[in-house]
Amino acid sequence: MSKVYKYGNNVDTDVIIPARYLNTSDDKELASHCMEDIDKDFAKTVKAGDVIVAGSNFGCGSSREHAPIAIKASGISCVIAETFARIFFRNAINIGLPILECPEAVRGTQAGDELDIDLISGTIHNKTNGKTFQAEPFPPFMRRIIDAGGLIGAISKE
């Protein structure tokens, strides 16, 4: 079960991890500043397995991979958005951060709700309001990348 942190449209990479912290590539350090410019309590309250739910164009902005790394290192198990910026989408898959596009789930979920997510089927069940949503599941080759913790892990297994 995952607690929801909900944000709006156009959450850019500089909000996810402010550029002033990009002098490090340490995952834990990046996680300690994740979302702080939009949600000052995020890093203090997020727990392993929690979920980010957001509107359209999540992860717009720069192409650096620090944003999905900071999210994954903070303990977020999945990001659900109406749409993702394409470079964030690629970076998330490449570092093994599960993401799902599902506008209905975004509209049907509030901050603090609890979700059960089945990445294999793409099913999102909101335990708080009883609604179930269907996202497009990843094809098998992308699931292998996610399951391996990212592209490097997947390549090293082959």
Side-chain angles (χ1 to χ4, degrees), residues 63-90:
S63 61
R64 58 184 174 254
E65 69 278 359
H66 296 77
I69 289 170
I71 291 170
K72 182 179 177 184
S74 73
I76 290 294
S77 63
C78 185
V79 179
I80 300 167
E82 290 181 19
T83 61
F84 290 93
R86 294 295 93 188
I87 192 68
F88 181 90
F89 184 95
R90 293 293 308 185

Side-chain angles (χ1 to χ4, degrees), residues 35-112:
M35 308 302 278
E36 75 179 28
D37 284 354
I38 195 172
D39 183 349
K40 64 180 176 56
D41 295 323
F42 177 84
K44 296 176 208 149
T45 60
V46 67
K47 304 255 185 302
D50 286 347
V51 174
I52 289 176
V53 174
S56 63
N57 204 27
F58 186 86
C60 58
S62 81
S63 61
R64 58 184 174 254
E65 69 278 359
H66 296 77
I69 289 170
I71 291 170
K72 182 179 177 184
S74 73
I76 290 294
S77 63
C78 185
V79 179
I80 300 167
E82 290 181 19
T83 61
F84 290 93
R86 294 295 93 188
I87 192 68
F88 181 90
F89 184 95
R90 293 293 308 185
N91 283 336
I93 299 304
N94 287 342
I95 63 103
L97 174 66
I99 57 176
L100 293 171
E101 289 186 341
C102 188
E104 297 80 13
V106 173
R107 288 190 293 273
T109 303
Q110 301 302 315

